[in-house]
Amino acid sequence: MRKFIGGLLIALIGAAATLGAAYLAQQDVRVYVSNIFSDSNSNDSLLSEVVDQKAVPREIETPESLAAITVPEETQPDSSQSSEVTVESGMIGFTLKEVIISGQSLKFGFTLQNNDENKRAITLSSARIIDDDGVVYTDKKISIAKTSSYMFDLPENVPVQMEILFEGVNNEIGTVQFLEIKGKTYGKESQRIEVSMRDLTVE
């Protein structure tokens, strides 16, 4: 009888131990599973935050050094500046300053400059133009420094005014296709003057 009761107690104690172990194991599984879901939720929220951060553009901060850099504006040509034409012949520079029409009088304004190291005399014998209609005109008057163009003494490197006047020109002329000036210079060496210019706009 005692042996039977002892064996029964041992069996009950073993069963109780087994049930206890199973219960503890179940609790560990629940805790483990709970931790997994908890970690999964936190990972999902973290992933959602990352996606949201990528989806929403952020303003790029510009360094002060870059902000201080300014791009220069493109320089536009000044239309008010008229281009001058210079031709040299016989060591004399002819710079055209203006071409003006007034009625049927067409005036060419020049400056002459002696580029020789010594004084030179100049004689301008003739000038002619061809307008945009192909009509030829010969000069009416050539003057240097408001005087005659015959044997005018030019000091070295001093600009002097010169004018050529044409009469009977079409007052609607817009362009002089060709201008020609002929003459001669005298100094240590005599030289011919042959000056030609093309496509001159009339003001």
Side-chain angles (χ1 to χ4, degrees):
M1 184 68 179
R2 288 182 179 178
K3 291 182 179 179
F4 175 77
I5 293 173
L8 181 60
L9 288 175
I10 292 172
L12 291 173
I13 291 171
T18 302
L19 290 173
Y23 177 78
L24 292 176
Q26 184 180 7
Q27 293 297 322
D28 290 338
V29 170
R30 288 180 180 177
V31 172
Y32 179 75
V33 172
S34 175
N35 289 337
I36 289 177
F37 280 101
S38 176
D39 292 341
S40 177
N41 292 336
S42 63
N43 289 336
D44 289 342
S45 62
L46 179 60
L47 179 60
S48 176
E49 182 179 353
V50 171
V51 171
D52 290 343
Q53 290 179 356
K54 289 183 178 180
V56 179
R58 294 186 177 182
E59 182 178 356
I60 299 176
E61 296 180 359
T62 304
E64 294 181 359
S65 59
L66 293 179
I69 298 175
T70 57
V71 180
E73 295 182 358
E74 183 179 357
T75 304
Q76 299 293 334
D78 187 357
S79 59
S80 63
Q81 295 180 353
S82 58
S83 57
E84 298 180 353
V85 182
T86 300
V87 175
E88 182 172 309
S89 181
M91 301 190 74
I92 307 296
F94 292 75
T95 300
L96 179 63
K97 308 292 286 188
E98 60 183 5
V99 184
I100 300 177
I101 186 74
S102 177
Q104 291 186 318
S105 298
L106 183 62
K107 183 182 73 173
F108 289 78
F110 287 85
T111 57
L112 304 184
Q113 181 166 311
N114 176 14
N115 296 323
D116 193 1
E117 296 178 353
N118 303 295
K119 181 178 69 174
R120 295 182 70 84
I122 183 173
T123 297
L124 297 179
S125 57
S126 64
R128 65 172 181 146
I129 61 171
I130 302 175
D131 68 8
D132 46 10
D133 290 327
V135 180
V136 179
Y137 301 89
T138 57
D139 66 275
K140 174 69 175 180
K141 180 181 180 182
I142 304 176
S143 62
I144 301 176
K146 305 289 185 183
T147 64
S148 171
S149 62
Y150 178 74
M151 292 297 291
F152 186 92
D153 290 334
L154 288 174
E156 62 275 14
N157 298 318
V158 176
V160 177
Q161 292 183 358
M162 181 189 79
E163 292 183 358
I164 304 177
L165 184 65
F166 296 87
E167 293 286 358
V169 180
N170 181 1
N171 58 10
E172 295 183 356
I173 183 174
T175 304
V176 173
Q177 294 190 77
F178 181 75
L179 166 67
E180 182 182 60
I181 304 170
K182 290 186 177 183
K184 199 170 185 178
T185 60
Y186 305 90
K188 289 184 177 180
E189 181 182 357
S190 298
Q191 293 178 302
R192 289 185 177 181
I193 290 178
E194 293 183 355
V195 174
S196 62
M197 299 180 179
R198 297 175 182 271
D199 300 323
L200 307 175
T201 302
V202 178
E203 299 178 2

